[in-house]
Structure formats: C-alpha cells, structure tokens
Amino acid sequence: MRLVIARCSVDYAGRLTAHLPSAPRLILVKADGSVSIHADDRAYKPLNWMSPPCTLKEGADGDEGVWTVINKAGEKLIITMEEILHDSSHELGVDPGLIKDGVEAHLQELLADRIETLGEGYTLIRREYPTAIGPVDILCRDADGGTVAVEIKRRGEIDGVEQLTRYLELLNRDPHLAPVKGVFAAQEIKPQAKVLATDRGIGCVVLDYDALRGIEDDKLRLF
C-alpha cells in the first residue's frame, strides 16, 4: 500500500463530473490497483475513488504533478499535485480476512445447506470459495447453470456491495466461471446498499434467520 499526503485538487470525469478544490488530502494506492482520496473528517469514507481494475499514470501529459487514474470504462480521476508532504509504501501481505460473527457464519452454513431457497434449481459449488482477495461466502449455480457468487452479511451496507463487486470483477476473469452474477444476502439491507447493488446488476435477498433454522416457514424477500 502506498500512502501519499499532498496538497492537491481532484477532478472526476465519467458518467458525471466532480471537482475537489485544492486542500491537504490522503491518497491511498492499494495493491489491487484501487485509488482513493480521503479527508480528515469523513471517517472511513473517501471523498472520491476509483475501483479496480484501473491504471495509475504519474506525470500524465508530460506534467509530473498530474496523476491520472483510468478504469476499464474509460472514466478518469485526475489528481493535480501542488505539494507532496509524505510518500511511503508498505507491504501488508495477504490479509486473513474478516472473521464473521456467530450469526453471520451460521447464516452462511444454513444457506449453503438449503441453497435452493435462493431459487428453484440452485446447486452449491462450495462455501468459502478462494480468490486472490479473499474467500467468496458461497459460490453456486442457478437453474440455467450460470455461476452465482453470494456475499452474506448480518446487516447489508454499501461496504458489502463494494466487497462483492470486487469478487465479481475477479471471478469474471476466469473463463471457467464467467459470466458470474452476484447476490447480496443479509438479514437487513440498507436502502443505499440496495440502490448501489441494483445499479451494478447485483440481486438482493433479505434472509429470515429463524426460517432458515426451520423455526418458521421459509421466507426470502427478493428485490
């Protein structure tokens, strides 16, 4: 991971345009290729970002003070450096991943055992399907034989959708699996997460924990 603290301005050009005026900011360049711009007052959420796969070119158009990040859709994040205050790189290695709480882990186990609750004809490939950026909760096939990646959360928020998006981008590079669809499954899905998932073609499923345990009739609400 590369950490750069710089006084800079940022312009985004894509489906819409956005501009961040000059100010001191933190720029994170991660090993997966993602680039995100952070301020000191927004918790973990970046001001702007570019998700992988994307490329970073320093010194774009012959100007060493301009960084240009371009994704596969041709969208650009242009960072104009005025002063670099700090620049360091750190090798973090492979992350062991998030340890799920008891309910979340049990949801994964129950859904894998009763995968047909996602739809008639669904079959399980495996739980914790390994990828270079961490395991996918469930990989399965739908009735048409298509591959489906399922990310399971107790509470579904935007971060979970982003996580599943990264898995899908990676899995769809494998010709033996592609095309791979995504399903975001949780006991509760926040409206913002649902909107983002829908925009990215990811299905959302609200899970009834008691129903999966057989305490009540099965009830899955599909959106």
Side-chain angles (χ1 to χ4, degrees), residues 189-210:
I189 299 179
K190 296 294 186 180
Q192 300 93 329
K194 180 184 171 185
V195 169
L196 181 61
T198 301
D199 181 67
R200 295 183 177 179
I202 294 171
C204 291
V205 176
V206 175
L207 299 173
D208 187 322
Y209 184 46
D210 288 337

Side-chain angles (χ1 to χ4, degrees), residues 91-169:
E91 180 59 54
L92 302 185
V94 178
D95 192 87
L98 181 68
I99 304 300
K100 296 180 180 293
D101 66 27
V103 172
E104 203 166 292
H106 198 205
L107 279 170
Q108 182 193 119
E109 180 182 352
L110 289 169
L111 190 56
D113 288 342
R114 304 175 69 182
I115 197 66
E116 71 282 354
T117 54
L118 289 177
E120 185 177 351
Y122 272 67
T123 57
L124 179 70
I125 296 176
R126 67 168 291 177
R127 292 171 54 196
E128 298 288 333
Y129 185 88
T131 77
I133 58 174
V136 178
D137 286 340
I138 291 178
L139 198 69
C140 58
R141 296 197 184 278
D142 61 20
D144 298 322
T147 311
V148 181
V150 184
E151 179 64 26
I152 300 171
K153 299 292 184 186
R154 186 160 57 89
R155 176 177 295 176
E157 302 190 38
I158 285 177
D159 285 354
V161 178
E162 294 284 6
Q163 182 180 358
L164 179 54
T165 299
R166 292 192 293 271
Y167 287 144
L168 290 172
E169 288 174 345

Side-chain angles (χ1 to χ4, degrees), residues 64-85:
E64 293 185 0
V66 176
W67 291 13
T68 302
V69 188
I70 307 175
N71 66 12
K72 62 181 180 181
E75 298 168 316
K76 294 183 180 181
L77 194 65
I78 302 168
I79 307 169
T80 302
M81 302 290 191
E82 298 174 15
E83 180 184 10
I84 293 179
L85 305 173

